[in-house]
Amino acid sequence: MAMEVTQILLNAQSVDGAVRKHAEDNLKQFQEQNLPSFLLSLAGELANEEKPAESRKLAGLILKNALDAKEQHRKYEFVQRWLALDPSVKGQIKNCLIKTLSSPSHDARSTASQVIAKVAGIELPQKQWPELIGTLLSNIQQLPAHTKQATLETLGYICEEVSPEAVEQDNVNQILTAVVQGMNASEVNNDVRLAATRALYNALGFAQANFSNDMERDYIMRVVCEATLSPEVKIRQAAFECLVAISSTYYEKLAPYIHDIFNITAKAVKEDEEPVALQAIEFWSSICDEEIDILEEYGSDFTGDSEVPCYYFIKQALPVLVPLLLETLLKQEEDQDQDEGAWNIAMAGGTCLGLVARTVGDDIVPLVMPFIELNITKPDWRQREAATYAFGSILEGPSPEKLVPLVNVALNFMLSALMKDPSNHVKDTTAWTLGRMFEFLHGSMLETPIITPANCQQIVTVLLQSMKDVPNVAEKACGALYFLAQGYEDMGPSPSPLTPFFQDILQALYAVTRREDAGESRLRTAAYETLNEVVRCSTDDTSPMVMQLVPHIMMELHQTLEAHKLSTDEREKQNELQGLLCGCLQVIIQKLGSSEATKYVFLQYADQMMALFLRVFSCRSATAHEEAMLAIGALAYATGSGFEKYMSEFYRYLEMGLQNFEDYQVCAITVGVVGDLCRALEDKILPYCDAIMTQLLKDLSSNQLHRSVKPPIFSCFGDIALAIGENFEKYLVYAMPMLQSAAELSAHTSGADDDMTEYTNSLRNGILEAYSGIFQGFKGSPKTQLLMPYAPHILQFLDSLYMEKEMDDVVTKTAIGVLGDLADTLGSNAGPLIQQAISSKDFLNECLSSDDHMIKESAEWAKLAINRAISI
Amino acid sequence: MAPPDHRRPFKRPTISDQQRRRELSLLRQAQNRLDAQQRARCLASTVLSLEAPEPGPGPEPEPVLELELASESEYHVEEEEEGDSRSPSKEFDVRQASKLRGAEARKWFARQLMLPEWMIDVPDRLSQDWYVFARPSGKRCFVVSSNGITVSRLRNGSVLHRFPSALPGGARTRDVSGSAQSYSILDCIFHEIDQMYYVIDMVCWRGYSLYDCTAEFRFFWSNSKLNESGACDPPSQNHRYRFSLVPIYNCDENGLHAAYTGAVTYIKDGLLFYNKQAHYQTGNTPLALVWKDEKCSQYVIDTDSKGNVPRLQQVVLELQEDLKLITSDDPPVVFGCLDNDLVQKSGLCTGYLLKFAIGNGGLSFADGRLDRADLQYLGKSNRARAFADSYSKVIFQYAVRHSPLRIDDLLSAINSRDERENEHPDVEMID
């Protein structure tokens, strides 16, 4: 048997597809027939020094994959399966794994490390395998260097896998001691020292207690800083990674060390190899992130009662930090603008400079301006580009009062550079800088406009001209135009300053989408995105021009649907284009369909558009489906009950969308579209409701569907009930128990993290919207008494939400509205129940005096409904 | 080398319009759901059911120019108080109606306002079931805010003002959800002197209808909503005219006194009485009443177009096919009959509005109903008029000239009610 496993594992890596396939089938069969024996042979294979390295490594990987999966439901299944195994089998497997840590084969050790971490991830939270940490630590004390390295690596993986609560503080202390000792300069073996440094990176989350103790913290910090000076580049890089992690995890403990860290990072930025220098810059970027968060959360004047105080490290370091970063800007790579994935010291330095500007605001300006003035006209493109990049970087953060005068001076220079500079790099950065000017310093919120009737025409002319430049420059010019248009989106009813150029802008953007080379540098996408924004800011006087665009976009979409026999690559591009075109039509539908002035003319295209969207569904592309679905939702809203005629054809795609578990975004959007249909068709949606409800109920019961789709499904129940009224009767018996159990689950949030609390609130909102729709749907019907049995539970749910005190404003508003809906629909029958509920007193009173006018409005409505219900 | 996962390359395209489209769609859907929910809560639909007249035979008034309509609005306020209730056939909504012109618009808008009857006797339970307030003198109009603009229209459908306002949807401000549903309709009187819109009723707010809500709810709602919207703030660039609420009182002795004698910022033109339980009903309704005397109104007795009080009371009645002369009420009240010769001789047709004087024979009543009227034919009515007089208006004017209903009569009706209640509380409860 054992020999056979080795051969199968080797065959599974064969270059011959047939052999490989056969071996994979064998493995699958083996696993299904006898899991314990299968896992045991894999562990044995991995531990056996006489076996080939290839079969050992694959055995370990298969073992690892049998313990963990990306999908939540499969992961849960694997965990349960492991826990249910016979303890003696598990014991043997674990022994094999520990033994492998001493193997001379690096691959075998490394694989065993990962598998041990997976097993620990399952068992430690269950308080099983208590001897693991002790065993590992005793390994470190005695054994040869390679075992020590593998053991440290294992400790690192365990810290990554397990949450800190699952490990006793004693064990944590021992792990940290072992790791920090391994990092120490006295450790002569570089592999051990590197493994220890990487292990610390993962173990930092466990070190809360140790970082609160001055002596222990001093020691850890000293060792980390020393490791940044190691002769080995990988160790220096790993040590800086530790510093970055410390800067975000223990920001409030950094004050005593910040001066030293500055010196270390400055030296690395100036002299060290790029991977190390990048981490050194990242340290300061990370400090900026922390300070921006703190300052945002507590307002700019720190009052002393915030959880984490701001230490203003950036402000203090400013006079030396800014020149350091400015120097990095001159180290550009050739052609970095054409390479999508590029990341180098100049880009990291500019990114950090932008974060510094956001952190300190006005103070950065005088430190950067001399650099700009010195370099902006130099013959070397690097200097001109660096100067422009520096200017663009500081446009977010400082006050408009500080920036507007500078921008007014710079604007003309930039416009002319965009036309005339011989360097593509400079033009790329110039267009980007113009975009940043418009993004942050242009719009109705600003008092002094940088764009005036005097320069508007010139700006538009230059940008449209620049859109004919090489793809990366044209793409940035599109971006600048995007923000230029966005600034006019909320202007008053007066004709937009863009009106005179509107036709030219639309034509130019449309021409860009059709450029041969529009596939490069994301140019086509940028052009469509800008087109969308320009459409959004169209006004009554320019909407006829948007109307003229419609047949062109429809024709483009039609052409993508006619193309056949494409290569995989071409098909992918075609699908992307379909997504962009559907997205563009969606924006146009939303714009022209929402104004009475354009709606009726526009809807003449509805039949043709709908036919195109339906054809998009026959192509296999999640993005295109999503965009088409959104467009159809907008169309349904615009057409209203007239949408009925498309339903028989559209329905099957709607159902397909509701069944699309893999691309859950498509599923979520389809659920939203069901809501649009309900509001458009009202009771005419009835013939489709059986099928829709069946599918929605299936979705809710599935553990494969991403959880984010569930709240909108509940809201959708409400939409359906509101549309079909008492006809919802037959679904009550299914929907109500689901709502009830979801309500019970969501009633409490204690101990949840922010993400979970946010999700719980969205779930509550969905449940409450369902109740609201159902009550209002039944209002005035003779069947309202069917809802009576559910009233006590619903009131209890509202009470428990109120007592929990963890709901956000949206939930509060919806909840108090449900109270009103219940009273409104059930009337005096529910009077006594309502009077017993706390919600009808304390909760209602709190909402009545709320500052949030939506909450207050709902509460006033609820009060009125309750008064009616209990006074009769 | 790739950037760290969480660090977005600074100079890379920052916009993801796809995400933005997604968010805007979700926003739109959430807004639409909210609209649907609010509509359901306040019942009815957002759509004003309007029923336009059947394009049947008969003398459809010729298209009326805005010029003429404007001159009618100069005509004093009495002219606004009649309605008709012809049978409907077609539904519109108020935004479509904004596109109607001339006579069509005039008829449409005329039918959308709730028109109080004239108080010819004191209703029961005045102090319990009714509100009272002093009516501002000025132009009665419908104020519709939607799609970023606010339009006020006089009862005859002509546009009074087109302006930005702080009402929901009343000015072009950023509205990402693009919700065309968010419109509001107010029943107002425009008061020239301080250029103020006095809101006397709220018909729709943020797209949901208050038609089927009681006056009690509508007043409560306008009180809390109007201030919040900023519509009562002083004029600004995006808010050209200021709106104001009128003080509304329970119609007990104090309330009636306050409305009658209390100081207000506007010139009074009589008192309005609204039944608390009544829904907003378009056309004539006995659940809203108007009353006036010399003390609280400049216009008690009707004047002619030159502002003079004619010697004899004048009435406008509609000629029916059977030659009967009827009021604008539903069902109409017959005031008399024309003889065929006169009709032939003057070339009159069915549907014509004719002007008569009430002669010295006056009106006589039997069993509380009109029995006979001494009518003297004067000629065709001003063709800008849409409707005949209502019964209650004719009777009120008649009473003003002969034996008016006085404020003391109203007060004593309230007091006698109070006394009776004090004497027989038990009886009241069973009642």
Side-chain angles (χ1 to χ4, degrees):
Chain A
M1 189 69 171
M3 190 54 227
E4 205 181 313
V5 168
T6 307
Q7 195 52 52
I8 296 172
L9 287 167
L10 290 174
N11 286 350
Q13 303 171 72
S14 162
V15 282
D16 182 337
V19 174
R20 207 165 57 231
K21 174 85 177 39
H22 184 67
E24 282 164 2
D25 289 346
N26 281 340
L27 287 168
K28 213 173 149 200
Q29 210 180 352
F30 188 6
Q31 171 165 11
E32 278 162 10
Q33 277 167 2
N34 191 342
L35 181 74
S37 149
F38 175 66
L39 297 178
L40 209 48
S41 347
L42 292 175
E45 183 80 12
L46 175 63
N48 192 335
E49 299 297 337
E50 278 151 29
K51 298 292 182 182
E54 295 77 19
S55 69
R56 295 179 71 182
K57 188 173 177 185
L58 186 59
L61 287 178
I62 296 174
L63 192 52
K64 189 180 113 184
N65 291 338
L67 296 168
D68 197 7
K70 276 198 190 108
E71 301 86 355
Q72 276 302 329
H73 66 282
R74 287 186 64 218
K75 180 173 181 158
Y76 178 77
E77 199 180 298
F78 290 174
V79 167
Q80 296 308 314
R81 193 174 71 181
W82 173 264
L83 290 172
L85 282 181
D86 184 82
S88 74
V89 172
K90 286 188 282 189
Q92 288 179 62
I93 293 174
K94 288 190 267 189
N95 285 340
C96 289
L97 293 172
I98 297 285
K99 185 180 153 210
T100 312
L101 291 180
S102 310
S103 164
S105 155
H106 178 269
D107 274 356
R109 291 199 306 273
S110 171
T111 313
S113 293
Q114 296 171 44
V115 184
I116 291 172
K118 291 293 173 195
V119 177
I122 297 173
E123 295 204 346
L124 294 189
Q126 309 283 331
K127 303 281 169 215
Q128 297 178 12
W129 210 359
E131 70 282 12
L132 170 65
I133 305 293
T135 312
L136 292 173
L137 292 170
S138 67
N139 259 2
I140 293 178
Q141 307 301 324
Q142 320 152 2
L143 291 158
H146 69 259
T147 309
K148 207 168 172 181
Q149 171 266 331
T151 308
L152 285 165
E153 203 175 300
T154 311
L155 287 171
Y157 289 142
I158 291 174
C159 291
E160 197 180 9
E161 199 68 37
V162 179
S163 78
E165 301 83 58
V167 184
E168 301 289 329
Q169 184 61 42
D170 277 356
N171 280 339
V172 170
N173 292 342
Q174 289 167 336
I175 293 172
L176 282 170
T177 309
V179 166
V180 176
Q181 265 170 18
M183 277 180 79
N184 207 319
S186 62
E187 174 60 57
V188 287
N189 184 306
N190 275 343
D191 291 341
V192 172
R193 202 173 174 200
L194 180 60
T197 311
R198 287 181 177 162
L200 180 70
Y201 178 86
N202 288 322
L204 282 169
F206 286 64
Q208 293 288 350
N210 315 80
F211 262 82
S212 302
N213 177 314
D214 291 352
M215 259 178 52
E216 291 181 35
R217 187 182 60 239
D218 284 348
Y219 182 62
I220 296 172
M221 291 303 291
R222 184 171 65 76
V223 172
V224 175
C225 290
E226 279 171 12
T228 65
L229 306 173
S230 157
E232 172 57 42
V233 60
K234 282 188 176 162
I235 295 176
R236 294 201 302 277
Q237 185 187 347
F240 272 113
E241 281 169 14
C242 287
L243 277 183
V244 172
I246 291 169
S247 73
S248 59
T249 316
Y250 301 108
Y251 167 84
E252 73 278 11
K253 308 276 194 237
L254 279 181
Y257 318 105
I258 201 77
H259 187 73
D260 289 341
I261 296 176
F262 182 80
N263 289 333
I264 296 168
T265 49
K267 189 164 184 299
V269 170
K270 281 186 200 136
E271 299 165 10
D272 213 328
E273 290 179 46
E274 190 164 61
V276 183
L278 286 175
Q279 287 305 320
I281 293 175
E282 182 59 25
F283 173 84
W284 290 101
S285 292
S286 170
I287 295 285
C288 288
D289 287 344
E290 291 305 312
E291 297 197 342
I292 289 169
D293 280 356
I294 295 169
L295 296 174
E296 255 176 26
E297 197 164 339
Y298 301 110
S300 52
D301 42 2
F302 168 55
T303 51
D305 54 7
S306 55
E307 239 180 297
V308 179
C310 185
Y311 287 96
Y312 298 100
F313 294 140
I314 299 295
K315 203 173 174 150
Q316 291 164 40
L318 208 55
V320 267
L321 182 60
V322 170
L324 182 73
L325 294 172
L326 290 172
E327 280 309 303
T328 66
L329 302 187
L330 293 158
K331 298 180 182 170
Q332 308 96 322
E333 283 175 302
E334 299 273 356
D335 299 333
Q336 66 181 24
D337 294 321
Q338 276 91 352
D339 176 5
E340 282 278 325
W343 183 246
N344 56 43
I345 192 161
M347 295 172 82
T351 304
C352 188
L353 190 66
L355 290 167
V356 171
R358 286 176 56 201
T359 312
V360 302
D362 287 359
D363 293 352
I364 198 170
V365 177
L367 295 170
V368 173
M369 288 316 289
F371 178 84
I372 297 171
E373 283 155 11
L374 178 71
N375 290 293
I376 193 90
T377 52
K378 283 283 161 46
D380 181 359
W381 71 265
R382 287 177 188 280
Q383 286 174 290
R384 297 197 306 279
E385 198 276 341
T388 315
Y389 192 20
F391 191 54
S393 299
I394 60 164
L395 288 172
E396 185 187 10
S399 63
E401 292 72 41
K402 194 88 180 173
L403 291 175
V404 166
L406 299 173
V407 167
N408 281 335
V409 174
L411 190 56
N412 262 331
F413 183 91
M414 297 282 167
L415 290 172
S416 116
L418 187 54
M419 287 293 89
K420 294 181 191 137
D421 199 288
S423 157
N424 275 339
H425 288 279
V426 176
K427 284 199 280 191
D428 183 293
T429 305
T430 303
W432 169 79
T433 301
L434 285 167
R436 304 251 310 164
M437 288 178 182
F438 304 150
E439 183 178 3
F440 299 111
L441 297 167
H442 156 62
S444 59
M445 309 294 284
L446 288 144
E447 274 177 21
T448 36
I450 57 168
I451 301 170
T452 60
N455 64 14
C456 188
Q457 176 165 16
Q458 192 202 357
I459 293 170
V460 172
T461 309
V462 169
L463 290 179
L464 297 195
Q465 187 62 34
S466 179
M467 276 155 49
K468 296 177 186 154
D469 211 319
V470 292
N472 62 302
V473 175
E475 185 253 352
K476 296 286 191 304
C478 287
L481 190 57
Y482 184 100
F483 291 113
L484 182 72
Q486 192 171 67
Y488 289 123
E489 210 180 291
D490 48 2
M491 286 280 168
S494 52
S496 159
L498 287 185
T499 299
F501 322 112
F502 204 86
Q503 185 81 41
D504 291 343
I505 292 173
L506 286 185
Q507 273 169 2
L509 285 167
Y510 183 62
V512 173
T513 67
R514 297 171 61 92
R515 271 172 64 156
E516 288 284 325
D517 55 0
E520 294 170 35
S521 291
R522 237 184 126 260
L523 177 58
R524 183 174 286 116
T525 306
Y528 275 115
E529 286 177 343
T530 306
L531 191 58
N532 292 345
E533 188 57 32
V534 170
V535 168
R536 284 192 196 104
C537 79
S538 63
T539 54
D540 288 349
D541 42 347
T542 45
S543 58
M545 302 174 201
V546 177
M547 192 79 80
Q548 287 168 8
L549 189 67
V550 179
H552 293 282
I553 304 288
M554 290 201 314
M555 182 51 81
E556 297 275 326
L557 183 55
H558 175 78
Q559 279 164 4
T560 67
L561 294 162
E562 292 297 298
H564 296 296
K565 292 190 186 145
L566 299 171
S567 68
T568 320
D569 189 40
E570 286 169 325
R571 184 175 308 282
E572 217 164 86
K573 285 198 176 122
Q574 202 71 280
N575 287 338
E576 194 190 328
L577 181 56
Q578 283 164 358
L580 291 171
L581 290 163
C582 289
C584 184
L585 285 172
Q586 180 213 326
V587 172
I588 295 177
I589 294 169
Q590 203 140 319
K591 184 73 193 186
L592 299 184
S594 70
S595 155
E596 292 297 314
T598 47
K599 183 170 163 176
Y600 300 99
V601 180
F602 173 68
L603 286 178
Q604 291 171 351
Y605 293 115
D607 286 357
Q608 282 170 278
M609 252 185 293
M610 201 53 205
L612 289 170
F613 294 147
L614 293 178
R615 289 182 64 192
V616 170
F617 287 120
S618 57
C619 309
R620 306 186 125 269
S621 159
T623 314
H625 285 196
E626 186 186 329
E627 296 285 2
M629 198 51 94
L630 280 173
I632 288 174
L635 192 62
Y637 170 65
T639 42
S641 62
F643 193 83
E644 193 192 6
K645 62 176 172 178
Y646 307 120
M647 277 305 284
S648 58
E649 249 189 296
F650 171 53
Y651 179 74
R652 67 194 183 105
Y653 300 109
L654 187 78
E655 191 168 79
M656 256 168 51
L658 294 177
Q659 289 165 343
N660 195 341
F661 288 178
E662 288 113 90
D663 307 305
Y664 69 89
Q665 292 273 25
V666 176
C667 187
I669 273 157
T670 313
V671 171
V673 169
V674 173
D676 282 328
L677 294 174
C678 288
R679 288 179 288 272
L681 300 177
E682 300 193 320
D683 55 353
K684 288 180 187 158
I685 199 168
L686 191 57
Y688 303 94
C689 281
D690 280 359
I692 292 173
M693 279 301 292
T694 309
Q695 196 50 53
L696 292 178
L697 289 164
K698 269 192 205 164
D699 286 356
L700 280 178
S701 333
S702 157
N703 56 2
Q704 286 172 55
L705 185 61
H706 194 273
R707 66 174 192 181
S708 68
V709 190
K710 298 193 175 175
I713 292 180
F714 286 128
S715 305
C716 190
F717 283 177
D719 298 338
I720 293 173
L722 204 53
I724 64 172
E726 62 176 21
N727 291 307
F728 197 80
E729 175 189 356
K730 58 177 163 177
Y731 311 126
L732 283 177
V733 58
Y734 307 104
M736 284 309 212
M738 286 229 177
L739 284 164
Q740 184 161 344
S741 60
E744 273 157 21
L745 276 176
S746 80
H748 305 288
T749 51
S750 55
D753 58 19
D754 287 357
D755 271 359
M756 194 58 201
T757 309
E758 198 184 321
Y759 175 71
T760 305
N761 274 322
S762 76
L763 193 62
R764 290 166 170 175
N765 195 54
I767 296 165
L768 292 165
E769 284 185 337
Y771 285 143
S772 226
I774 293 170
F775 278 123
Q776 287 301 337
F778 273 78
K779 181 154 110 184
S781 143
K783 294 181 178 165
T784 48
Q785 82 282 357
L786 290 174
L787 300 177
M788 235 2 241
Y790 305 109
H793 176 266
I794 293 170
L795 288 168
Q796 216 181 333
F797 178 48
L798 297 177
D799 285 355
S800 65
L801 287 181
Y802 172 66
M803 308 223 276
E804 181 82 12
K805 301 276 180 210
E806 284 280 350
M807 54 180 156
D808 59 24
D809 282 355
V810 178
V811 175
T812 307
K813 190 214 93 192
T814 325
I816 205 69
V818 168
L819 184 66
D821 295 326
L822 187 148
D824 193 30
T825 296
L826 298 181
S828 55
N829 292 337
L833 272 176
I834 294 169
Q835 279 177 301
Q836 282 165 26
I838 313 168
S839 314
S840 69
K841 303 184 191 75
D842 302 4
F843 185 25
L844 182 61
N845 287 334
E846 244 170 65
C847 291
L848 283 169
S849 53
S850 166
D851 294 334
D852 182 316
H853 97 271
M854 299 288 280
I855 294 179
K856 211 171 146 196
E857 187 175 292
S858 285
E860 280 163 357
W861 139 259
K863 185 182 169 190
L864 207 82
I866 291 173
N867 285 345
R868 261 199 314 251
I870 61 183
S871 68
I872 297 165
Chain B
M1 185 168 297
D5 289 341
H6 64 282
R7 183 87 46 227
R8 175 170 58 76
F10 195 37
K11 234 187 87 180
R12 293 281 165 236
T14 56
I15 29 175
S16 165
D17 200 67
Q18 191 192 4
Q19 189 53 30
R20 185 130 187 266
R21 284 197 295 280
R22 230 180 244 156
E23 282 160 11
L24 289 176
S25 288
L26 286 176
L27 214 60
R28 175 182 62 73
Q29 287 171 343
Q31 183 60 46
N32 295 348
R33 175 176 295 132
L34 197 71
D35 290 349
Q37 209 177 51
Q38 295 196 319
R39 271 204 300 284
R41 284 181 182 165
C42 279
L43 249 156
S45 65
T46 45
V47 174
L48 289 175
S49 320
L50 146 80
E51 330 227 305
E54 274 166 79
E60 195 58 27
E62 306 129 65
V64 179
L65 301 172
E66 295 274 314
L67 197 72
E68 276 180 274
L69 293 172
S71 75
E72 192 209 31
S73 68
E74 296 299 317
Y75 221 38
H76 85 63
V77 75
E78 294 325 285
E79 284 297 334
E80 295 181 10
E81 301 302 342
E82 303 94 36
D84 83 343
S85 358
R86 277 180 233 195
S87 64
S89 66
K90 198 174 155 199
E91 298 219 332
F92 274 89
D93 105 1
V94 69
R95 288 160 295 165
Q96 286 168 287
S98 318
K99 297 197 191 78
L100 297 175
R101 291 287 175 266
E104 280 291 304
R106 185 178 49 161
K107 296 215 154 186
W108 196 88
F109 280 94
R111 252 179 237 107
Q112 298 313 310
L113 287 167
M114 177 156 85
L115 303 173
E117 286 193 357
W118 290 80
M119 188 188 281
I120 47 185
D121 48 33
V122 184
D124 279 349
R125 296 175 60 86
L126 191 59
S127 62
Q128 288 97 334
D129 290 352
W130 293 74
Y131 289 120
V132 62
F133 59 95
R135 179 168 74 167
S137 165
K139 293 169 180 165
R140 176 91 181 273
C141 53
F142 231 16
V143 177
V144 180
S145 65
S146 103
N147 268 328
I149 189 83
T150 307
V151 178
S152 58
R153 283 175 179 270
L154 298 174
R155 222 202 107 196
N156 61 26
S158 64
V159 173
L160 176 63
H161 298 127
R162 194 183 287 276
F163 59 104
S165 79
L167 295 173
R172 198 174 293 216
T173 47
R174 192 173 194 138
D175 181 11
V176 280
S177 61
S179 169
Q181 306 286 8
S182 182
Y183 64 92
S184 298
I185 306 173
L186 303 177
D187 184 347
C188 295
I189 292 175
F190 183 69
H191 190 251
E192 286 283 354
I193 298 162
D194 58 1
Q195 296 284 297
M196 180 95 81
Y197 278 94
Y198 285 93
V199 178
I200 61 170
D201 212 330
M202 182 176 272
V203 185
C204 273
W205 187 254
R206 270 189 214 288
Y208 64 79
S209 165
L210 297 164
Y211 274 85
D212 289 350
C213 299
T214 61
E216 191 173 17
F217 182 81
R218 296 197 310 275
F219 290 156
F220 157 78
W221 208 246
S222 34
N223 252 315
S224 63
K225 294 299 138 200
L226 205 66
N227 273 317
E228 274 170 24
S229 70
C232 302
D233 296 347
S236 61
Q237 198 198 343
N238 281 325
H239 181 57
R240 194 164 306 146
Y241 292 98
R242 193 169 180 170
F243 287 76
S244 176
L245 291 157
V246 293
I248 292 171
Y249 305 95
N250 279 318
C251 193
D252 50 25
E253 192 179 351
N254 293 335
L256 183 58
H257 238 297
Y260 184 64
T261 58
V264 280
T265 52
Y266 51 85
I267 298 171
K268 291 182 194 175
D269 181 23
L271 301 180
L272 281 169
F273 297 81
Y274 274 51
N275 185 290
K276 292 179 185 175
Q277 299 308 314
H279 292 185
Y280 194 96
Q281 184 189 335
T282 59
N284 291 329
T285 170
L287 296 175
L289 297 169
V290 58
W291 172 90
K292 54 176 67 168
D293 67 5
E294 259 82 18
K295 186 156 188 298
C296 67
S297 173
Q298 303 171 36
Y299 321 99
V300 179
I301 300 182
D302 273 1
T303 57
D304 60 20
S305 53
K306 298 184 188 76
N308 302 318
V309 174
R311 193 180 59 82
L312 294 175
Q313 180 186 351
Q314 296 184 357
V315 296
V316 174
L317 298 167
E318 184 180 333
L319 179 63
Q320 270 193 315
E321 207 169 349
D322 57 8
L323 306 185
K324 283 184 177 154
L325 297 163
I326 57 165
T327 62
S328 63
D329 303 272
D330 182 25
V333 177
V334 178
F335 263 67
C337 202
L338 271 193
D339 79 65
N340 209 9
D341 287 354
L342 178 69
V343 173
Q344 300 281 321
K345 202 169 63 189
S346 318
L348 305 178
C349 295
T350 307
Y352 270 27
L353 300 179
L354 307 175
K355 196 187 281 184
F356 296 88
I358 297 178
N360 292 329
L363 305 175
S364 45
F365 299 87
D367 299 334
R369 317 182 82 176
L370 182 72
D371 183 42
R372 204 190 57 79
D374 175 14
L375 297 178
Q376 302 173 358
Y377 177 63
L378 296 178
K380 283 185 245 175
S381 155
N382 181 321
R383 60 181 185 162
R385 280 197 61 156
F387 309 113
D389 285 338
S390 68
Y391 175 76
S392 69
K393 183 197 169 183
V394 176
I395 304 301
F396 187 88
Q397 283 293 323
Y398 188 76
V400 164
R401 286 170 179 256
H402 298 92
S403 61
L405 188 63
R406 296 171 204 283
I407 188 73
D408 293 339
D409 300 331
L410 295 177
L411 284 167
S412 64
I414 288 169
N415 289 331
S416 68
R417 190 78 203 170
D418 289 350
E419 277 161 31
R420 261 188 289 153
E421 263 163 40
N422 291 339
E423 282 166 28
H424 308 289
D426 299 337
V427 177
E428 221 19 66
M429 286 182 69
I430 295 160
D431 201 358

